[in-house]
């Protein structure tokens, strides 16, 4: 672990919660300070990922396990080819969805089992977890009303599915409060952006202080195989 390790931040939540907007606003704030920010998303953060995204969201019907594996494949390649290299050179990586989406949608929504699906993604990513995960929590009915494009395969699922995924995100956040920042997505976008930006700057400052003292930083360092980027 070196002081050059970057910071990994993910945004999670239901459709229409404003994740993409908040991810972009965070990237803009940090770039204005001269930091390198890699703004990305799952599925589809790489060229292969874009092909997988089209297949899983708009392609022929696939069963739940195939769906889970397609998301995990996208994640494995995304982490290996984009996220880890960026973290290793000290960038802030901001991703619109990550592993917790698979746990909520495939593990709980599709009822494949949260632990199994989490373990699949941990294997795929060699254990990489974000230092901070921002949950933009929203009633699925409100989220649905905010959508402007035709619904994809997941968005087309029923109310019960979306209620389950919302609760799954909230349960995971409750179980690991150090990693999660839960925010009410109905708050104004600029207010949300301020809270998120402040939290990320705190983490960056803490990382800077620790690396100045040549201490291994928990939550920002790039883990090796089998470790997570959060304290354990
Ligand atoms: P997203 O890109 O957030 O949707 P959009 O930009 O079209 O609003 O995510 C696409 C869908 O993929 C979303 O409905 C959630 C789903 N999803 C999973 O089911 N599992 C996953 O692991 C990920 C990353 C996304």
């Amino acid at each position: 672990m070196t002081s050059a390790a970057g910071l990994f931040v993910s945004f999670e939540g239901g459709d229409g919660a404003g994740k993409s907007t908040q991810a972009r606003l965070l990237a803009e704030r940090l770039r204005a300070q001269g930091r390198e920010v890699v703004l990305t998303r799952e599925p589809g953060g790489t060229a292969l990922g874009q092909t997988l995204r089209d297949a899983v969201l708009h392609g022929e019907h696939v069963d739940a396990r195939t769906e889970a594996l397609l998301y995990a494949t996208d994640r494995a390649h995304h982490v290996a080819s984009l996220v880890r290299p960026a973290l290793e050179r000290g960038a802030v990586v901001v991703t619109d969805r990550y592993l917790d989406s698979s746990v909520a949608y495939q593990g709980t929504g599709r009822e494949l089992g949260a632990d199994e699906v989490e373990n699949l993604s941990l294997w795929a990513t060699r254990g990489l977890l974000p230092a901070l995960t921002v949950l933009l929590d929203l009633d699925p009915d409100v989220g649905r009303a905010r959508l402007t494009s035709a619904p994809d395969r997941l968005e087309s699922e029923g109310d019960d599915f979306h209620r389950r995924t919302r609760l799954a995100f909230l349960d995971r956040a409750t179980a690991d409060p150090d990693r999660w920042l839960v925010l009410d997505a109905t708050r104004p976008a600029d207010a949300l952006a301020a809270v998120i930006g402040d939290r990320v700057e705190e983490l960056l400052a803490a990382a800077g202080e620790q690396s100045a003292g040549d201490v291994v930083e928990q939550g920002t360092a790039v883990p090796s195989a089998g470790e997570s980027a959060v304290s354990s």
Side-chain angles (χ1 to χ4, degrees), residues 64-74 120:
R65 282 169 189 269
T66 308
E67 182 182 277
L69 287 164
L70 286 169
Y71 282 113
T73 305
D74 167 73
L120 175 67

Side-chain angles (χ1 to χ4, degrees), residues 15 42 53 57 71 75 97 101-102 105-106 154-155:
D15 299 295
E42 290 190 0
R53 180 184 174 93
L57 293 179
Y71 282 113
R75 183 160 303 124
R97 295 195 183 281
S101 278
S102 280
Y105 285 86
Q106 281 67 54
L154 278 296
E155 287 162 355

Side-chain angles (χ1 to χ4, degrees), residues 31-109:
R31 281 177 186 147
Q33 299 165 3
R35 292 185 187 278
E36 183 193 354
V37 181
V38 174
L39 180 58
T40 185
R41 69 169 178 175
E42 290 190 0
T46 61
L48 172 61
Q50 188 56 50
T51 304
L52 293 167
R53 180 184 174 93
D54 290 343
V56 74
L57 293 179
H58 306 291
E60 70 179 82
H61 173 78
V62 291
D63 79 328
R65 282 169 189 269
T66 308
E67 182 182 277
L69 287 164
L70 286 169
Y71 282 113
T73 305
D74 167 73
R75 183 160 303 124
H77 183 59
H78 187 215
V79 167
S81 67
L82 189 83
V83 176
R84 265 185 202 277
L87 292 173
E88 278 162 8
R89 60 176 190 267
V92 179
V93 178
V94 178
T95 185
D96 182 349
R97 295 195 183 281
Y98 187 61
L99 166 153
D100 299 290
S101 278
S102 280
V103 178
Y105 285 86
Q106 281 67 54
T108 303

Side-chain angles (χ1 to χ4, degrees), residues 134-159:
V134 180
L135 175 59
L136 296 173
D137 178 54
L138 188 65
D139 181 327
D141 293 341
V142 178
R144 195 189 306 266
R146 287 182 177 185
L147 293 179
T148 50
S149 53
D152 62 40
R153 202 197 313 277
L154 278 296
E155 287 162 355
S156 307
E157 287 296 325
D159 293 346

